[in-house]
């Protein structure tokens, strides 16, 4: 049976590493006498993944297994949060392991919006593909650098406990700790990475996809907007491209995966057609009913006679009729109003026909029935079609769900005269029955969407952007106000200690103790270590 390098590293136990290294060191005789086999074994286990491609292959297998599990049982959906820095992603996975004991079904999402807003050398930018292409693969590499460091740190804690048990002659505890090492679950999880609209033509998409995969991405999310007119999915002015243009980029991503040996790589195709009323191009059509003809059939046209044509007019011949698409001063063509859902369904089926693994339908509100109404039609053709869904902070979740409950109650004949639909966000409604039911619908939205609308993966695109802003605002209000230093101690440090937040020991979190271990390996008794009795981090023991 074939094992990837990552799987092989997992299969090799702590003692096996020690035996192998002991034999190697012994074969080198004197020159390697200063090399401790157990130290090498520890360093190997702390650096399980040697390259980004190993990570991509390993995590692609995880996603494929999760997709199969979801097909069998839709309650087994997966989740992620968008992270804009390696430290944020690391702390998220440490917290997940602490609270739930396992990272299973939890991924990371890399948002192009957050890269543009937070990681561009130009400074904050809107989500319009203006940031540097290299910043996306650089963030993927950064995320995995921090996740691998989390592995190294957590294993270092176990190794120190093994040493302490060994020094105390506690063989039983030592054996139990070695078993923990052998069954250690890595913090390295799949990243779904946003490649926007490909940052150019299909060749540009291919080149960027390779960089992202080499950095460790097993899943690439690409959208059907025009590259040079790309907009955030929740803003106006979105412009889509004909299917052949988009599918060329989908194939470019697949070629990149295959070239790099990541045969299980996942492509997520996103359609923005629900909110995109414009196209820059009229599609090429070679036969009635082909993809180009279907795309053009949604254009807002008027029938014209040859004598009505003006200079420069563009016309379509459809079943012998001359149709003039409505062209805007921007030279863009508009689709018929209300055609968005039909175009989304067509986009999804075309993507699955051409190698997409997962779908993404960008909607203007979180409404399970709306999403399901489109996915039901897709699943008539592809019964196991699955969605990645954006639980976006661009939605006002409180207002949306209170209005959904209001509308449902009204349709059922229930008295809603005590509520003002336009003002349901008000704190005055927070304890009402309507608000309680709305909150319950929000709580179960992901499970309901997974069961009813084919949503395999739920993500929040920008959560850590908002949490960073909120926590900083709260700290600034207290620290620079009357509370002074107590504002920091009460809100931050005291909570870190009591909640067991790993980075309360920030020196340890940044790698100081790992460095001490390496100093001991390299320099022996002469090593000058930072973690001695006078290290103030000991106050947090």
């Amino acid at each position: 049976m074939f094992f990837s390098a990552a799987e092989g590293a997992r299969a090799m136990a702590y003692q096996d590493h020690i035996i192998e290294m002991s034999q190697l060191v012994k074969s080198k005789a004197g020159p390697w006498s200063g090399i401790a086999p157990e130290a090498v074994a520890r360093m190997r286990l702390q650096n399980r993944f040697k390259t980004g491609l190993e990570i991509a292959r390993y995590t692609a297998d995880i996603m494929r297994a999760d997709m199969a599990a979801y097909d069998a049982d839709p309650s087994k959906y997966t989740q992620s949060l968008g992270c804009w820095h390696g430290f944020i992603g690391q702390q998220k996975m440490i917290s997940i392991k602490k609270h739930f004991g396992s990272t299973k079904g939890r991924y990371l999402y890399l948002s192009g919006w957050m890269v543009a807003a937070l990681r561009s050398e130009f400074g904050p930018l809107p989500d319009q593909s203006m940031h540097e292409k290299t910043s996306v693969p650089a963030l993927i590499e950064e995320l995995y650098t921090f996740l691998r460091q989390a592995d190294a740190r957590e294993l270092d804690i176990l190794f120190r406990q093994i040493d302490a048990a060994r020094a105390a002659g506690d063989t039983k505890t030592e054996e139990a700790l070695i078993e923990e090492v052998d069954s250690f679950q890595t913090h390295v999880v799949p990243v779904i990475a946003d490649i926007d609209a490909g940052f150019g033509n299909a060749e540009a998409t291919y080149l960027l996809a390779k960089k992202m995969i080499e950095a460790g991405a097993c899943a690439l999310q690409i959208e059907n907007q025009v590259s040079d007119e790309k907009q955030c999915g929740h803003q106006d002015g979105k412009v889509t491209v004909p299917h052949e243009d988009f599918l060329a980029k989908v194939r470019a991503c697949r070629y990149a995966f295959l070239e790099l040996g990541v045969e299980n790589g996942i492509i997520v195709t996103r359609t923005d057609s629900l909110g995109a009323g414009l196209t820059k191009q009229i599609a090429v059509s070679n036969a009635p009913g082909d993809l180009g003809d279907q795309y053009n059939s949604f254009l807002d046209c008027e029938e014209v006679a040859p004598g009505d044509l003006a200079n420069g007019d563009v016309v379509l011949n459809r079943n012998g009729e001359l149709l003039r698409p409505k062209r805007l001063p921007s030279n863009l063509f508009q689709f018929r109003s209300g055609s968005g859902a039909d175009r989304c369904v067509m986009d999804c089926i075309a993507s699955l026909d051409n190698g997409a693994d997962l779908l993404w339908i960008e909607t203007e509100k979180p409404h399970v029935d709306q999403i399901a109404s489109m996915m039901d039609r897709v699943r008539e053709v592809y019964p196991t079609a699955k969605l990645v869904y954006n639980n976006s902070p661009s939605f006002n979740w409180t207002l949306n769900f209170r209005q959904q409950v209001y509308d449902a109650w009204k349709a059922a004949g229930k008295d809603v005269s005590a509520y003002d639909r336009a003002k349901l966000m008000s704190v005055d409604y927070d304890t009402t029955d309507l608000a309680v039911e709305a909150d319950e619908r929000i709580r179960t939205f992901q499970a309901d969407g997974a069961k009813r609308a084919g949503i395999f993966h739920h993500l929040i695109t920008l959560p850590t952007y908002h949490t960073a802003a909120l926590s900083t605002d709260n700290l600034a209000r207290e620290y620079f106000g009357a509370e002074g230093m107590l504002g920091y101690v009460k809100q931050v440090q005291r909570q870190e200690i009591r909640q067991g937040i790993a980075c309360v020991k920030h020196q340890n979190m940044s790698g100081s103790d790992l460095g001490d271990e390496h100093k001991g390996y390299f320099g022996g008794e002469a090593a000058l270590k930072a973690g001695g009795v006078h290290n103030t981090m000991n106050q947090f023991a």
Side-chain angles (χ1 to χ4, degrees):
M1 185 175 183
F2 173 78
F3 289 99
S4 70
E7 291 169 323
R10 177 175 55 186
M12 195 167 180
Y14 184 40
Q15 296 294 353
D16 293 334
H17 276 292
I18 295 173
I19 292 168
E20 183 181 282
M21 286 300 100
S22 296
Q23 293 171 344
L24 179 61
V25 170
K26 185 178 180 180
S27 73
K28 300 297 181 181
W32 283 20
S33 61
I35 302 297
E38 187 166 13
V40 179
R42 291 179 176 186
M43 293 174 78
R44 280 186 159 195
L45 289 168
Q46 288 172 307
N47 186 29
R48 171 177 164 184
F49 301 98
K50 307 302 185 290
T51 69
L53 285 177
E54 281 188 18
I55 292 172
R57 295 184 189 110
Y58 169 75
T59 53
D61 288 345
I62 289 174
M63 276 195 73
R64 292 287 178 180
D66 287 347
M67 289 161 67
Y70 172 82
D71 286 341
D73 179 0
S75 71
K76 298 188 185 316
Y77 59 91
T78 57
Q79 301 166 292
S80 66
L81 296 174
C83 298
W84 54 272
H85 192 280
F87 176 73
I88 301 296
Q90 177 199 67
Q91 293 303 302
K92 171 190 149 182
M93 297 318 301
I94 287 173
S95 295
I96 287 170
K97 283 192 72 176
K98 179 182 77 172
H99 292 297
F100 305 104
S102 170
T103 62
K104 183 171 178 55
R106 278 85 178 208
Y107 306 163
L108 294 179
Y109 178 65
L110 188 158
S111 160
W113 191 101
M114 286 206 286
V115 172
L118 297 169
R119 301 303 300 265
S120 171
E121 292 184 11
F122 294 103
L125 293 172
D127 184 18
Q128 295 173 354
S129 291
M130 294 190 291
H131 53 282
E132 306 86 350
K133 293 169 67 171
T134 53
S135 59
V136 183
L139 179 52
I140 298 168
E141 183 175 0
E142 177 182 290
L143 285 164
Y144 281 125
T145 296
F146 274 79
L147 294 182
R148 290 160 68 195
Q149 193 261 6
D151 281 0
R153 171 191 165 273
E154 199 167 293
L155 283 165
D156 181 61
I157 292 170
L158 290 173
F159 295 147
R160 286 171 177 246
Q161 292 172 347
I162 288 172
D163 290 341
R166 190 177 292 163
D170 188 348
T171 304
K172 186 175 181 181
T173 297
E174 180 185 353
E175 290 175 351
L177 287 165
I178 290 173
E179 175 58 31
E180 280 193 57
V181 170
D182 288 342
S183 60
F184 179 80
Q185 185 182 45
T186 178
H187 295 82
V188 170
V189 297
V191 165
I192 298 175
D194 186 357
I195 197 171
D196 278 16
F199 285 84
N201 61 14
E203 175 69 6
T205 302
Y206 155 77
L207 293 171
L208 179 55
K210 280 182 62 177
K211 286 291 184 185
M212 293 169 71
I213 298 163
E214 287 169 341
C218 73
L220 302 179
Q221 168 225 323
I222 186 165
E223 60 203 61
N224 68 335
Q225 291 193 50
V226 177
S227 290
D228 60 351
E229 299 283 355
K230 183 257 188 301
Q231 292 278 13
C232 170
H234 294 286
Q235 291 186 315
D236 205 355
K238 292 187 290 185
V239 182
T240 63
V241 296
H243 293 89
E244 286 307 321
D245 291 33
F246 178 63
L247 296 173
K249 295 182 181 182
V250 173
R251 287 189 287 270
C253 291
R254 181 64 68 201
Y255 273 107
F257 274 124
L258 295 174
E259 177 184 338
L260 295 172
V262 187
E263 288 86 357
N264 255 355
I266 289 112
I267 298 174
V268 183
T269 54
R270 173 176 136 182
T271 172
D272 280 279
S273 290
L274 194 63
L278 303 170
T279 183
K280 197 168 189 177
Q281 299 165 264
I282 294 176
V284 173
S285 174
N286 297 310
D290 64 13
L291 266 179
D293 189 44
Q294 292 179 60
Y295 187 81
N296 294 337
S297 71
F298 291 107
L299 292 170
D300 192 358
C301 300
E302 57 183 350
E303 188 174 352
V304 293
D308 298 329
L309 296 176
N311 187 57
D313 272 354
V314 173
V315 294
L316 299 173
N317 176 7
R318 184 175 301 145
N319 299 322
E321 295 179 343
L322 288 182
L323 301 174
R324 178 169 53 198
K326 292 182 180 178
R327 184 161 55 176
L328 305 179
S330 60
N331 203 32
L332 299 172
F333 298 91
Q334 68 183 36
F335 291 110
R336 293 195 312 276
S337 177
S339 65
D342 291 337
R343 286 184 282 125
C344 281
V345 172
M346 179 176 66
D347 295 342
C348 289
I349 292 171
S351 289
L352 293 171
D353 282 342
N354 288 272
D357 301 292
L358 295 169
L359 304 169
W360 175 318
I361 300 175
E362 194 78 328
T363 66
E364 83 288 358
K365 61 182 179 291
H367 197 295
V368 171
D369 289 340
Q370 178 199 35
I371 303 162
S373 68
M374 292 180 279
M375 281 301 290
D376 285 347
R377 294 166 63 188
V378 175
R379 285 186 151 194
E380 288 176 5
V381 181
Y382 285 96
T384 60
K386 291 177 281 294
L387 275 181
V388 171
Y389 187 72
N390 178 8
N391 292 225
S392 177
S394 293
F395 304 143
N396 184 331
W397 286 76
T398 302
L399 181 60
N400 264 291
F401 276 84
R402 287 181 182 182
Q403 289 181 339
Q404 286 180 37
V405 173
Y406 178 96
D407 293 341
W409 283 7
K410 187 175 181 180
K414 192 168 183 176
D415 182 14
V416 292
S417 60
Y419 303 97
D420 183 340
R421 189 180 187 279
K423 297 180 180 178
L424 288 174
M425 183 68 197
S426 172
V427 67
D428 296 338
Y429 293 122
D430 281 0
T431 58
T432 63
D433 290 344
L434 184 146
V436 170
E437 181 172 330
D439 281 355
E440 179 61 12
R441 290 193 184 196
I442 294 171
R443 188 187 72 80
T444 63
F445 173 79
Q446 295 190 340
D448 295 341
K451 182 178 181 180
R452 174 68 187 90
I455 302 175
F456 158 72
H457 186 75
H458 284 277
L459 60 90
I460 308 178
T461 42
L462 324 175
T464 53
Y465 176 90
H466 292 280
T467 55
L470 179 62
S471 62
T472 302
D473 179 84
N474 290 336
L475 175 60
R477 182 188 64 229
E478 301 301 324
Y479 176 73
F480 292 105
E483 291 289 280
M485 190 58 195
L486 184 59
Y488 172 78
V489 172
K490 283 175 64 177
Q491 286 202 68
V492 182
Q493 190 179 81
R494 194 174 293 169
Q495 298 306 315
E496 286 180 309
I497 294 168
R498 291 175 176 173
Q499 294 180 40
I501 305 299
C503 68
V504 70
K505 296 184 179 181
H506 50 260
Q507 305 288 15
N508 168 270
M509 196 75 252
S510 70
S512 179
D513 290 341
L514 283 169
D516 274 359
E517 292 300 317
H518 293 163
K519 290 174 186 177
Y521 300 161
F522 308 153
E525 294 296 324
L528 181 64
K529 298 185 179 181
V533 67
H534 298 298
N535 189 319
T536 58
M537 284 290 101
N538 294 327
Q539 296 172 26
F540 300 97

